[in-house]
Amino acid sequence: MASKTKPSKRDAILDAMLDVVVERGFHEAPMSLIAERSGTSAGLIYHHFASKEEIIQALYERIYTLKIASFLDGFSPQMDPQQAFVQGCERMYLFYRKHQKEMRFLEQYKNAGFACQPELNASDTRITAFMQRYSSHSKGGVLNEWPADVMQEITIGLIERLARLPRKLSSAVLREIAESLWTQVKAI
C-alpha cells in the first residue's frame, strides 16, 4: 500500500489556517493555534510568512488556483461555447461539492473585505481564451450585455449555492440547469 506524502511545513501551516478559519473565523485564528495544529512553532511560521495576513493571502491564492484548474480541466478553445459553458458549470459544481472547507474559507475571505485577486496564469492560454469567449458580445464574446457581477451571480453564484444543498444533484439535473443558464446568458 502506498503511503501518503507528508505535506511540507508551509503546506501544513496553510492547512492548519484553513481548518481554524473555517471553524472559528479569521479573527479567532491565533498564531499559537495555527502553530499547534500545523505541528510547527511560531518561529517557523514566521520563517515562511511575515504575518497572519500573509498566510491568509497565500491560502486564498492556493485555493483560487485549485478552483481555476478544476474549472478549466477539459476546456479547449475549440469547444462549442455551449458545451464549454455546461461543462464549466458541472466542473464548478463538483469542485464546490468536493471542497466544502475551501468554499467556506473563500466566502469568509470575500465577506471580510480582503481585496486581492490573484494573478491568473498568463502562460495558460486556456484562461485567456475562456475570458475572451465568455465576455459580452460587444467585446467579442458570446454573452449578453448584462453587468459582469450580475452574470457571475446568476451562473457561478447559483452553481455554488446548489452545491451547498445537502442532497447531491444528479448529473442529468445539473446538466439541465446548466443548459437553462446558458439559454439565459448567451447573446441572441
Side-chain angles (χ1 to χ4, degrees):
M1 180 156 86
S3 63
K4 281 189 164 181
T5 306
K6 188 175 179 182
S8 70
K9 289 297 182 185
R10 185 179 194 282
D11 285 337
I13 294 164
L14 293 174
D15 292 342
M17 179 61 83
L18 174 62
D19 289 340
V20 172
V21 166
V22 167
E23 291 169 17
R24 302 174 68 162
F26 290 116
H27 301 296
E28 298 297 323
M31 294 301 271
S32 59
L33 184 55
I34 304 305
E36 178 184 321
R37 295 267 184 105
S38 64
T40 62
S41 66
L44 187 58
I45 290 175
Y46 286 113
H47 171 76
H48 290 283
F49 302 98
S51 65
K52 179 174 151 181
E53 289 74 21
E54 193 174 302
I55 301 170
I56 291 167
Q57 188 59 39
L59 181 56
Y60 174 79
E61 290 173 10
R62 182 175 81 171
I63 294 169
Y64 187 82
T65 300
L66 179 66
K67 179 180 168 181
I68 294 298
S70 178
F71 184 67
L72 290 175
D73 185 36
F75 171 75
S76 163
Q78 292 76 34
M79 290 175 79
D80 171 73
Q82 179 178 353
Q83 176 192 5
F85 179 88
V86 170
Q87 177 181 292
C89 289
E90 292 170 332
R91 300 288 308 157
M92 279 293 87
Y93 179 82
L94 294 173
F95 177 84
Y96 294 151
R97 291 288 298 184
K98 182 178 179 180
H99 298 280
Q100 294 287 319
K101 282 196 304 190
E102 288 83 352
M103 296 315 299
R104 285 196 298 272
F105 173 88
L106 289 177
E107 182 179 326
Q108 287 186 48
Y109 184 93
K110 182 175 72 175
N111 292 332
F114 290 100
C116 185
Q117 180 92 347
E119 296 273 328
L120 294 174
N121 182 355
S123 67
D124 190 339
T125 57
R126 295 174 310 160
I127 293 172
T128 305
F130 185 88
M131 298 300 284
Q132 173 59 39
R133 178 179 286 172
Y134 294 100
S135 63
S136 65
H137 188 65
S138 65
K139 294 179 181 173
V142 296
L143 301 180
N144 67 35
E145 301 298 324
W146 294 343
D149 54 346
V150 171
M151 295 294 269
Q152 173 82 17
E153 184 59 31
I154 65 172
T155 56
I156 300 301
L158 175 63
I159 297 299
E160 183 179 337
R161 286 187 301 282
L162 291 173
R164 290 184 183 161
L165 295 175
R167 186 174 54 92
K168 184 177 179 182
L169 297 175
S170 71
S171 295
V173 168
L174 183 57
R175 179 168 288 277
E176 186 178 331
I177 291 167
E179 288 171 352
S180 177
L181 290 174
W182 171 252
T183 301
Q184 293 176 21
V185 299
K186 71 177 178 168
I188 297 175

